[in-house]
């Protein structure tokens, strides 16, 4: 029996929902995207959203033209405004990633992804700076300086990988960062700019050299960003990928890496944002759809806020096309939600976290206990990956009542409950489920729910949990306030007994 302290051990960080990732920004113009984001915000409530492609062709921002024999550039924000307006209406703000390179401004033809984001340096750093200034000036004019000050501006994405930055040329990235940081601060010195958004696979030495460069050039840096993944090399199959996974603790090690590497530099005390994290870095790995994935990431969500200022799940929806249009409803996509808003087990992990309290009472390898300001106590518990079943016994403080009872509400996801992927596999893995099949999948995605009434003994209640394989469960405890009238008799519901 684990005795949970009655006193707060600290405050639960909200770093886990400070940001969430998305497919390229133009996807936000689609109805399914907007429906998914609305559901996400209603049940979880992320603060910021980050995605690629702000300057790619699909957003139509950079528009060169000729007039009266001279080359000119028009900056158009038609789609940018629609995307940002729709996000703000749902209570989520941009985390601006500046990229990729507009084709007409690019110095080369190298691209990444099915939708061909250009990953070469600008042919003109002056025009790139003009593009950055024009974009931020427009956003400030439209949404107000006070609002845009809260939108971090990240320079590029994973420049340490040749897939995302031609030749992984660090000197060329440093030049881009310098030009960009000055352009951002030209609009207003209070705007947040940072980087370098490094991958976890090829970044050795990059962050230290970045720190040396910005120190030497006295450049503005308001935050440091990095990514974190735990999967091994891809094992491709048609329209899919399998990979081995390192233990989830490896994610927490990667979260802590920037502060370890920057110790002793001028960047040591800056906010650290993990602007992408997940298990696999592939958008077609079926592990993302499973109950295993939720249990695997539970300890990361519970503890990650102790290490960084934000860690952004990549991504909120399967509306994502980096390797092409998905070929089936469940296809191993990154999303917390499939297309058509079917909740995955990892979605429920986040929704459970959203119902946790502010004050941390206890945290262990398989549980997190919190308390709300009104006295309600919440327990998040999970089965460690590799265990078929798992027992957890807690003695939980429940407030000011020495005697009485609490109402226990339990919500669970595992291999059977809250698991539309299991139902989808059993129905034959239909690539395009029919309406009645979608209804079944939505129903199967609902968590298992149960409730109990437990006695309070000396201000505490004993909670005995048996968790199934790959289970994540949320227990909510609230005091019972008895309002049954004196004449109520459960035994007489069918009319028997008593004097009438």
């Amino acid at each position: 029996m684990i005795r949970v302290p009655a006193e707060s051990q600290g405050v639960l960080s909200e770093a886990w929902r400070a940001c969430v990732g998305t497919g390229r920004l133009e996807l936000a113009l689609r109805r399914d995207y907007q429906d998914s984001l609305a559901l996400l915000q209603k049940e979880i409530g992320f603060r910021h959203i980050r995605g690629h492609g702000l300057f790619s062709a699909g957003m139509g921002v950079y528009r060169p033209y000729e007039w009266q024999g001279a080359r000119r550039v028009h900056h158009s924000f038609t789609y940018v405004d629609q995307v940002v307006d729709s996000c703000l209406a749902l209570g989520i703000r941009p985390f601006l990633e500046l990229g990729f390179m507009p084709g007409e401004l690019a110095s080369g033809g190298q691209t990444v992804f099915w939708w061909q984001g250009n990953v070469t340096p600008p042919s003109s750093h002056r025009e790139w700076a003009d593009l950055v200034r024009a974009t931020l000036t427009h956003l400030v004019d439209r949404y107000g300086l006070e609002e845009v000050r809260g939108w971090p501006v990240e320079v590029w994405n994973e420049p340490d990988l040749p897939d995302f930055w031609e030749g992984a040329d660090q000197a060329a990235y440093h030049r881009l960062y310098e030009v960009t940081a000055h352009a951002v601060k030209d609009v207003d010195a209070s705007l947040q700019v940072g980087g370098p958004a490094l991958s976890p696979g090829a970044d050795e030495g990059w962050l230290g050299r970045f720190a040396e460069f910005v120190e030497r050039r006295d450049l503005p840096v308001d935050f440091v960003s990095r990514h974190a993944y735990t999967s091994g090399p891809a094992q491709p199959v048609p329209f899919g990928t399998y990979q081995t996974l390192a233990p989830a603790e490896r994610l927490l090690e990667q979260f802590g890496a920037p502060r370890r590497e920057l110790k002793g530099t001028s960047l040591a005390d800056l906010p650290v944002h993990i602007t992408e994290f997940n298990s696999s870095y592939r958008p077609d790995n079926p592990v993302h759809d499973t109950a295993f994935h939720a249990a695997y990431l539970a300890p990361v969500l519970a503890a990650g806020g102790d290490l960084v200022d934000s860690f952004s799940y990549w991504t909120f929806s399967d509306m994502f096309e980096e390797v092409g249009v998905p070929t089936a409803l469940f296809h191993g996509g990154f999303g917390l939600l499939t297309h058509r808003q079917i909740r995955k087990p990892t979605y429920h992990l986040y929704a459970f976290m959203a119902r946790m309290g502010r004050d941390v009472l206890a945290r262990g390898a398989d549980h997190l206990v919190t308390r709300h300001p009104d006295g309600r106590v919440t327990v998040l518990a999970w089965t460690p990956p590799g265990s078929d079943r798992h027992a957890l016994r807690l003695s939980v403080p429940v407030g000011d009542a020495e005697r009485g009872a609490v109402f226990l509400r339990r919500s669970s996801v595992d291999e059977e409950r809250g698991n539309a992927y299991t139902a989808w596999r059993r129905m034959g893995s239909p690539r395009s489920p029919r309406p009645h099949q979608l209804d079944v999948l939505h129903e199967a995605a609902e968590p298992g729910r149960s409730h109990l009434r437990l006695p309070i003994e000396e201000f505490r209640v004993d909670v005995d949990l048996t968790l199934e394989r790959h289970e994540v469960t949320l227990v909510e405890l609230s005091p019972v306030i008895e309002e049954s009238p004196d004449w109520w008799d459960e035994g007489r519901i069918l009319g028997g007994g008593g004097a009438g």
Side-chain angles (χ1 to χ4, degrees):
M1 178 75 71
I2 298 172
R3 186 176 177 85
V4 175
E7 302 77 23
S8 173
Q9 308 300 299
V11 174
L12 182 62
S13 166
E14 295 229 320
W16 63 273
R17 67 172 168 191
C19 188
V20 71
T22 176
R24 69 187 190 280
L25 295 184
E26 69 194 82
L27 296 175
L29 303 172
R30 299 185 187 178
R31 176 180 174 180
D32 195 31
Y33 183 106
Q34 287 298 316
D35 289 345
S36 296
L37 189 59
L39 176 63
L40 186 90
Q41 288 304 97
K42 177 183 177 182
E43 296 187 350
I44 300 174
F46 287 94
R47 310 296 189 240
H48 291 86
I49 189 166
R50 171 192 176 270
H52 305 321
L54 175 62
F55 294 148
S56 295
M59 292 295 285
V61 176
Y62 181 84
R63 308 293 289 275
Y65 65 101
E66 287 193 10
W67 177 248
Q68 297 179 339
R71 182 184 184 279
R72 306 182 186 186
V73 176
H74 173 68
H75 299 114
S76 174
F77 302 104
T78 303
Y79 280 2
V80 171
D81 292 347
Q82 291 182 51
V83 170
V84 175
D85 286 357
S86 63
C87 288
L88 293 180
L90 293 171
I92 192 167
R93 292 170 164 78
F95 193 120
L96 294 169
E97 176 205 302
L98 301 184
F100 292 117
M101 195 60 60
E104 300 89 342
L105 182 55
S107 60
Q110 181 182 336
T111 63
V112 68
F113 304 143
W114 171 77
W115 49 272
Q116 298 184 335
N118 190 287
V119 294
T120 67
S123 57
S124 167
H125 283 85
R126 176 186 58 78
E127 286 198 15
W128 169 263
D130 289 345
L131 171 62
V132 172
R133 273 192 295 267
T135 301
L136 288 168
T137 297
H138 172 79
L139 293 174
V140 168
D141 288 347
R142 183 175 178 86
Y143 302 105
L145 178 58
E146 193 61 32
E147 173 66 37
V148 181
R149 279 174 176 162
W151 304 357
V153 180
E154 185 179 40
V155 182
W156 212 255
N157 174 77
E158 297 188 353
D160 56 315
L161 290 181
D163 285 351
F164 288 101
W165 183 243
E166 188 179 47
D169 185 335
Q170 188 164 8
Y173 175 76
H174 286 170
R175 186 181 182 198
L176 184 80
Y177 184 85
E178 181 170 16
V179 169
T180 307
H182 283 313
V184 170
K185 296 297 185 177
D186 285 347
V187 178
D188 192 272
S190 67
L191 298 179
Q192 304 173 56
V193 66
L198 299 177
S199 82
D203 63 322
E204 186 173 356
W206 258 75
L207 199 51
R209 292 190 295 271
F210 176 74
E212 292 172 3
F213 174 74
V214 297
E215 288 173 350
R216 184 170 68 252
R217 301 288 291 175
D218 193 25
L219 299 179
V221 186
D222 297 302
F223 63 87
V224 173
S225 60
R226 189 187 192 273
H227 299 166
Y229 294 94
T230 52
S231 52
Q235 304 167 26
V237 295
F239 305 107
T241 304
Y242 299 114
Q243 292 166 289
T244 59
L245 294 183
E249 291 76 14
R250 177 65 181 138
L251 283 171
L252 296 175
E253 292 174 13
Q254 292 179 53
F255 286 10
R259 289 204 165 101
R260 292 195 302 270
E261 295 173 22
L262 292 172
K263 188 175 182 179
T265 74
S266 62
L267 309 186
D269 297 325
L270 290 180
V272 173
H273 298 302
I274 304 298
T275 51
E276 292 181 22
F277 92 95
N278 208 312
S279 57
S280 168
Y281 58 81
R282 290 286 309 187
D284 53 2
N285 187 327
V287 73
H288 296 133
D289 300 332
T290 65
F292 165 88
H293 200 246
Y296 177 84
L297 291 182
V300 178
L301 266 65
D306 294 344
L307 300 170
V308 293
D309 295 87
S310 74
F311 49 107
S312 179
Y313 186 82
W314 191 252
T315 58
F316 87 87
S317 168
D318 279 351
M319 182 77 67
F320 193 89
E321 299 173 349
E322 288 183 358
V323 297
V325 176
T327 59
L329 180 68
F330 282 99
H331 58 273
F334 287 126
L336 297 171
L337 292 163
T338 73
H339 290 80
R340 300 173 179 265
Q341 299 83 57
I342 295 174
R343 300 166 177 87
K344 299 184 188 180
T346 306
Y347 177 97
H348 291 302
L349 168 63
Y350 271 88
F352 292 169
M353 283 290 293
R355 284 152 59 182
M356 298 295 283
R358 177 179 181 274
D359 292 322
V360 175
L361 300 183
R363 182 158 49 201
D366 57 0
H367 66 277
L368 172 67
V369 185
T370 65
R371 183 167 54 213
H372 290 265
D374 64 4
R376 288 177 296 126
V377 175
T378 45
V379 179
L380 183 73
W382 55 90
T383 303
S387 301
D388 285 337
R389 298 187 91 192
H390 184 67
L392 177 64
R393 301 185 68 213
L394 301 172
S395 170
V396 181
V398 289
D400 298 331
E402 183 175 6
R403 295 287 184 270
V406 298
F407 180 76
L408 181 151
R409 177 192 184 199
R410 182 174 178 179
S411 306
S412 300
V413 297
D414 55 30
E415 293 294 330
E416 293 290 334
R417 297 169 295 177
N419 196 332
Y421 177 72
T422 295
W424 179 76
R425 292 286 295 142
R426 288 172 176 165
M427 65 172 58
S429 305
R431 290 191 291 270
S432 297
R434 286 160 174 72
H436 75 277
Q437 292 175 313
L438 287 172
D439 289 343
V440 171
L441 292 173
H442 279 290
E443 181 181 84
E446 288 294 318
R449 296 183 174 96
S450 60
H451 51 82
L452 293 171
R453 179 171 173 141
L454 297 176
I456 298 173
E457 298 289 343
E458 297 181 352
F459 307 101
R460 289 183 167 269
V461 62
D462 291 343
V463 178
D464 291 337
L465 300 175
T466 299
L467 283 74
E468 302 298 329
R469 185 169 183 259
H470 301 153
E471 180 174 345
V472 178
T473 197
L474 177 71
V475 172
E476 298 168 277
L477 300 167
S478 54
V480 171
I481 300 174
E482 189 59 68
E483 298 184 12
S484 301
D486 292 341
W487 47 261
W488 181 258
D489 185 347
E490 195 79 16
R492 295 183 61 195
I493 287 179
L494 299 182

